[in-house]
Amino acid sequence: MARGRGHGAAVVAAAAFAVACCCIAGCSGVASAATYYVGDGGGWSLGSASWPNGKQFHAGDVLVFRYMTWMHNVVAVGEEGYNGCTTPAGSRTYASGNDIVTLARGDNRFICTRYGHCYLGMKMVVNAA
């Protein structure tokens, strides 16, 4: 038996509604993570301690540490390691010169353990909301 004339229009309208809902759901989700290059053009260096100032970071954002591998490294530490310029057991050490670190919520602390650089101020705290 033949269907009425309005059936085709109803199917098209329902399909359009479904597509619109998918688009809205996709756009209203969690914002994508931002990528930051530590030290901007200067890279991870003795002057990086103040680099996070004025920036707003979020959990899931990515930091890229660029540096000369023979001169620096990056060690993710807790508060004790940060304050004492030490590498407690379980600390993550990066040494590629192009390290990618995803921020966790709260304070993320980083130091350089090469050549006493941490004691010279090569350390920073990045707070992610």
Side-chain angles (χ1 to χ4, degrees):
M1 187 156 236
R3 295 185 185 253
R5 289 186 182 189
H7 178 70
V11 170
V12 170
F17 179 75
V19 169
C21 288
C22 289
C23 288
I24 291 170
C27 293
S28 66
V30 176
S32 63
T35 299
Y36 296 91
Y37 291 85
V38 174
D40 299 318
W44 171 236
S45 65
L46 287 167
S48 296
S50 62
W51 174 81
N53 296 350
K55 296 176 179 66
Q56 293 188 11
F57 301 96
H58 297 89
D61 285 351
V62 173
L63 299 183
V64 180
F65 289 84
R66 291 187 172 169
Y67 54 90
M68 292 180 283
T69 58
W70 60 271
M71 180 160 300
H72 303 300
N73 67 1
V74 179
V75 182
V77 295
E79 186 173 5
E80 185 177 320
Y82 182 84
N83 291 335
C85 288
T86 58
T87 307
S91 297
R92 176 84 190 262
T93 300
Y94 301 88
S96 75
N98 192 34
D99 306 316
I100 297 171
V101 179
T102 302
L103 295 175
R105 185 173 312 279
D107 287 339
N108 295 260
R109 295 174 177 87
F110 305 97
I111 64 173
C112 175
T113 61
R114 300 254 170 96
Y115 310 111
H117 289 169
C118 181
Y119 296 106
L120 296 173
M122 192 170 173
K123 57 185 182 176
M124 70 176 190
V125 178
V126 176
N127 183 277

